[in-house]
Amino acid sequence: MAGMETEQPSERPTGLQAIWANTLEPVAPLPWYRRVSRKAVLIGVVVVGLLTALTVAAVTGAGAPPAHRIALADRIGDQERKPDDQLVTTERGRLQKNLTALSRFRDVSVAGYGPAGSSRSTLLVDGMTGSFPDARTELDREFGAVWGSDVSSDSDGSSESIRGRQDYPAGPLGGALDCAVLGGPTDSRTLCIWADGTTVGAVIDRTGSIRPDDLAKRALEVRAAVEVEVKD
């Protein structure tokens, strides 16, 4: 019709033609980080983090229980350290004899304790610092090979036997604590031993009057006073 502008067809394809045209246009390849799935990226991050944490722990010892040592105090509760007597000297010499290059422990401490104002010790305390990977195995060794042989003998030369060995709570320092009665034909005495990764300690009643339950409580007091953390 005259006076009306004639519509010219668009030069840009539409509809299916546009779709077909787009498929023919070159597409730049995606960068490598766009081609990796998000799940794979997350897994890689977790694996790298775990390996890093394990490496740091192996080098620094992070996560391992703190190491402790035995440092005998001058006073433990109502008990004070007494001058060495023959039993303390003998016991210290017996333990120090085993301080060899292949020994499980590298340091020993022995002392007698008794009530303040008294010259007589009523408790014998042994402490050993070293490396003891399994606390229960170490207790079996102490009660068997140690206290079941040369030490477990009465004053008249007759042997003693370990009776009523029982497991007790080891307290906040962990590890294991066992108590038993060393009995001979003439008398008996109570013995408690604790063990953890780096210390072994024994508390022995020299009076023959303390029951295992009571000595177990006293052993926890002794341990808390003499087992100290090793500072770097």
Side-chain angles (χ1 to χ4, degrees):
M1 181 179 296
M4 296 183 62
E5 296 181 357
T6 304
E7 295 183 356
Q8 300 295 326
S10 175
E11 296 181 357
R12 297 181 61 84
T14 60
L16 292 176
Q17 291 181 348
I19 296 176
W20 293 334
N22 287 339
T23 60
L24 299 177
E25 294 179 3
V27 178
L30 292 174
W32 66 269
Y33 55 84
R34 295 285 301 278
R35 296 195 301 270
V36 179
S37 68
R38 180 176 299 178
K39 183 177 180 180
V41 172
L42 291 176
I43 292 175
V45 171
V46 172
V47 170
V48 172
L50 288 175
L51 291 176
T52 302
L54 290 174
T55 302
V56 172
V59 174
T60 64
H68 292 83
R69 63 182 179 86
I70 299 296
L72 295 185
D74 291 333
R75 191 177 186 89
I76 301 175
D78 62 349
Q79 303 280 305
E80 63 180 14
R81 187 169 180 171
K82 302 299 180 182
D84 293 350
D85 56 18
Q86 183 176 358
L87 178 61
V88 171
T89 302
T90 301
E91 176 69 356
R92 184 182 295 119
R94 181 186 71 85
L95 292 175
Q96 288 179 341
K97 180 179 61 177
N98 297 323
L99 287 175
T100 64
L102 300 178
S103 174
R104 302 181 312 283
F105 50 91
R106 59 181 179 272
D107 182 61
V108 299
S109 302
V110 183
Y113 290 85
S118 172
S119 60
R120 180 170 175 261
S121 64
T122 56
L123 293 176
L124 179 67
V125 178
D126 292 359
M128 292 172 281
T129 301
S131 178
F132 314 101
D134 186 85
R136 183 58 53 186
T137 298
E138 188 59 34
L139 287 187
D140 291 340
R141 182 183 288 113
E142 294 295 324
F143 274 100
V146 179
W147 289 98
S149 56
D150 57 331
V151 178
S152 298
S153 59
D154 205 356
S155 56
D156 60 2
S158 58
S159 62
E160 292 179 315
S161 60
I162 296 177
R163 303 194 307 264
R165 179 180 169 184
Q166 185 175 345
D167 178 27
Y168 288 88
L173 290 172
L177 170 67
D178 281 10
C179 297
V181 173
L182 291 170
T186 59
D187 59 9
S188 62
R189 50 200 171 125
T190 306
L191 163 70
C192 290
I193 303 176
W194 80 78
D196 56 35
T198 51
T199 70
V200 171
V203 181
I204 305 98
D205 166 36
R206 298 184 63 176
T207 67
S209 61
I210 304 179
R211 299 181 307 152
D213 289 355
D214 295 329
L215 190 63
K217 297 176 183 177
R218 178 60 61 88
L220 291 181
E221 296 176 2
V222 171
R223 185 183 181 191
V226 303
E227 185 172 340
V228 297
E229 186 173 345
V230 176
K231 301 296 184 180
D232 294 334

